[in-house]
Amino acid sequence: MIARYRPERPAPEHHVTWKSGFGPCFTLFVDVEEEFDWRRPLGTAPYSTKAMAAFPAAHRRFADRGVALACVVDLPIVSDPRSVDILQAVVADGRSEIGAQLHGWVNPPIVEEISAVTSYAANLPAGVEAAKIAVLTDAITAAFGTRPRVYRAGRYGIGPDSFAILAAMGYRIDSSVRSGYDYSGQGGPDFSGIGSEPYHAGSLIELPLTTVHTGRLRRGGAALYRALSRVPRARGVFSRLGLLSRVAMTPEDMPIAAALEAVTIAIGEGAAFLNFSFHSPSLAPGHTPYVRDRADLQRFHDWWTAMLDHLDRLGVRNASIAEILDNIREG
């Protein structure tokens, strides 16, 4: 039996402290990846990268608003010359950056039996996880001429060996932790006890994806939300009654009204950093459950317009990966 990864909540002294005047700010990670059928078991084929044709227009939308993209790319993307050309143009904006995202089921060496459990790379033997990350890192370095320093595990499949592996390969930032989410029922890690604050994980900086609890009982936070999971349909009832909701910073299956409220609460309560994300196949209809048709795509773009306008009103500015690393206070 594989031991599930459940990291402890970082002690306050391990939280990142920022240089004076840096926050509040936000970053935007894009999981740049192949398209595949989300309803079917993971496998080595079939997949395509045709949704990347929509990436340049999306990048222009964000660049026009002063937003840098942290593009974490996987092996099918970096192996596609057209996708590499598109991303070369993205990073030419001077603020966006290429990082790594491991989809182990399409990333050599494939020595494991592909399954839901092994799709979480940290469930593999440490040597296999390291070998996959090394193949991906070398491919990105060859394609873009720069060694990646930002990592995300596909399916958020980070584990106890991952941080040492990444540090040994020169990574500076990990963003595999999805605050407040528990994937242990699928064989993955349990982040339900981890907050959204960036923290030091050994020599790496962990930037969790931001999750905010809203509602009249939000002070109960993650602990109350976990307890509700033991009662059938309780989470839905509490959400509909305005008592407690869990809101992730993504346009994918997250209504804009809920996300705007969550940002207002987070900033009002002193959050210095917000981490947003989405999957690149959502930029074209029909490739993810979140953007099935043109109407969904319009809602996706409208979500970002409303959110970026709201962040501007609140004085929350965008930070690139370089700016984040430059503004961490040491010691």
Side-chain angles (χ1 to χ4, degrees):
M1 178 66 69
I2 296 173
R4 306 297 180 230
Y5 180 51
R6 186 178 184 181
E8 294 183 1
R9 191 179 187 92
E13 59 266 27
H14 292 149
H15 290 169
V16 167
T17 55
W18 305 104
K19 293 180 180 178
S20 178
F22 180 60
C25 62
F26 75 95
T27 192
L28 174 53
F29 275 79
V30 185
D31 291 5
V32 185
E33 61 191 35
E34 73 282 10
E35 309 98 55
F36 52 88
D37 190 338
W38 291 46
R39 298 165 299 179
R40 300 179 62 184
L42 296 170
T44 56
Y47 64 78
S48 76
T49 58
K50 63 183 180 181
M52 284 299 293
F55 208 94
H59 170 245
R60 285 193 298 272
R61 287 173 180 261
F62 286 112
D64 287 347
R65 297 295 301 264
V67 178
L69 304 180
C71 301
V72 284
V73 306
D74 69 356
L75 196 62
I77 292 293
V78 78
S79 301
D80 174 36
R82 181 167 166 271
S83 296
V84 170
D85 288 345
I86 289 169
L87 291 168
Q88 290 278 23
V90 169
V91 297
D93 68 14
R95 295 184 69 236
S96 296
E97 184 161 330
I98 302 297
Q101 180 196 187
L102 179 63
H103 280 189
W105 56 94
V106 289
N107 194 124
I110 301 176
V111 296
E112 71 276 17
E113 179 180 349
I114 296 172
S115 68
V117 171
T118 61
S119 69
Y120 297 98
N123 286 340
L124 301 170
V128 176
E129 181 186 10
K132 287 177 181 286
I133 296 173
V135 167
L136 177 59
T137 302
D138 290 346
I140 292 171
T141 303
F144 294 98
T146 303
R147 195 168 181 86
R149 55 183 179 173
V150 183
Y151 177 81
R152 173 168 291 165
R155 309 198 77 201
Y156 315 109
I158 203 80
D161 298 316
S162 307
F163 295 99
I165 291 169
L166 293 170
M169 295 187 192
Y171 285 90
R172 299 284 307 283
I173 289 175
D174 177 70
S175 187
S176 303
V177 171
R178 194 175 192 194
S179 171
Y181 279 73
D182 179 6
Y183 297 98
S184 60
Q186 308 167 29
D190 178 3
F191 303 126
S192 59
I194 303 296
S196 296
E197 302 89 348
Y199 61 91
H200 295 271
S203 63
L204 272 73
I205 301 299
E206 179 62 46
L207 301 179
L209 282 80
T210 301
T211 300
V212 180
H213 289 94
T214 65
R216 295 192 294 276
L217 299 180
R218 71 177 184 274
R219 298 294 180 186
L224 176 56
Y225 199 81
R226 283 198 304 272
L228 292 175
S229 69
R230 297 192 285 270
V231 181
R233 295 184 292 277
R235 286 177 172 176
V237 171
F238 270 57
S239 180
R240 287 191 296 274
L241 293 176
L243 298 175
L244 183 67
S245 295
R246 181 182 64 182
V247 182
M249 295 294 98
T250 177
E252 296 174 328
D253 204 28
M254 194 58 59
I256 185 60
L260 295 177
E261 179 189 11
V263 168
T264 300
I265 288 171
I267 298 303
E269 293 181 347
F273 185 84
L274 303 174
N275 190 358
F276 290 78
S277 72
F278 68 87
H279 299 83
S280 64
S282 287
L283 294 172
H287 299 299
T288 70
Y290 315 114
V291 178
R292 297 157 297 181
D293 52 32
R294 290 187 178 277
D296 283 346
L297 181 60
Q298 187 59 54
R299 280 189 286 271
F300 177 94
H301 290 311
D302 290 346
W303 194 101
W304 280 114
T305 298
M307 179 56 71
L308 294 177
D309 287 347
H310 191 56
L311 291 167
D312 283 345
R313 286 192 294 270
L314 293 175
V316 183
R317 67 180 187 84
N318 174 247
S320 68
I321 294 299
E323 291 160 354
I324 290 167
L325 288 170
D326 287 346
N327 281 279
I328 295 171
R329 181 179 294 166
E330 302 296 337

